Amino acid sequence: MAEVNRIGPAGLPAAPSGGATAPKPSSGGFADALQRAVRLSSHAGQRLAERGIVLSEGELQQVAQAIERARQAGSKEAVVVTDRAALVVAPHQGVVITAMPLDAANEQAGGLMI
């Protein structure tokens, strides 16, 4: 299985989690809840860093909610689109697989995203 990292509160990869194991109990708080809800594959972490994509806490919350909705719908993979990026996710694992800036995603989709 691919190495998985969590997205830190500033949208940048946090310390590696050592795989897709359950997170350790924390002191609580909104940022901690987001870190538990949205995880990054090592590939996605590299792409976010390389492409300078930083997601706000509000965007992370929206991503977590979208992942949960896709999971409940039984999706194996989904694309979550924010104001800044398109994220390919595996909802059943709660993992972001890869990420790209929204303009690059629009170009790859042949200009179909409005």
Side-chain angles (χ1 to χ4, degrees):
M1 178 174 208
E3 181 182 327
V4 177
N5 295 321
R6 291 186 200 96
I7 296 177
L12 297 176
S17 67
T21 59
K24 295 178 182 176
S26 64
S27 60
F30 181 71
D32 290 336
L34 285 176
Q35 286 182 342
R36 288 189 305 273
V38 179
R39 297 180 299 153
L40 289 178
S41 68
S42 57
H43 174 80
Q46 289 173 340
R47 293 296 175 256
L48 286 169
E50 288 171 1
R51 296 168 175 167
I53 300 169
V54 178
L55 301 173
S56 69
E57 286 186 12
E59 289 171 318
L60 288 174
Q61 183 178 21
Q62 291 174 341
V63 170
Q65 290 170 350
I67 289 172
E68 179 58 22
R69 284 194 308 268
R71 186 192 63 75
Q72 289 176 356
S75 297
K76 293 185 180 183
E77 289 187 350
V79 176
V80 177
V81 179
T82 70
D83 289 339
R84 301 175 210 193
L87 310 170
V88 178
V89 301
H92 62 288
Q93 296 175 330
V95 176
V96 177
I97 299 169
T98 193
M100 66 182 66
L102 198 52
D103 57 343
N106 193 25
E107 288 173 17
Q108 287 193 8
L112 298 176
M113 296 172 53
I114 299 174

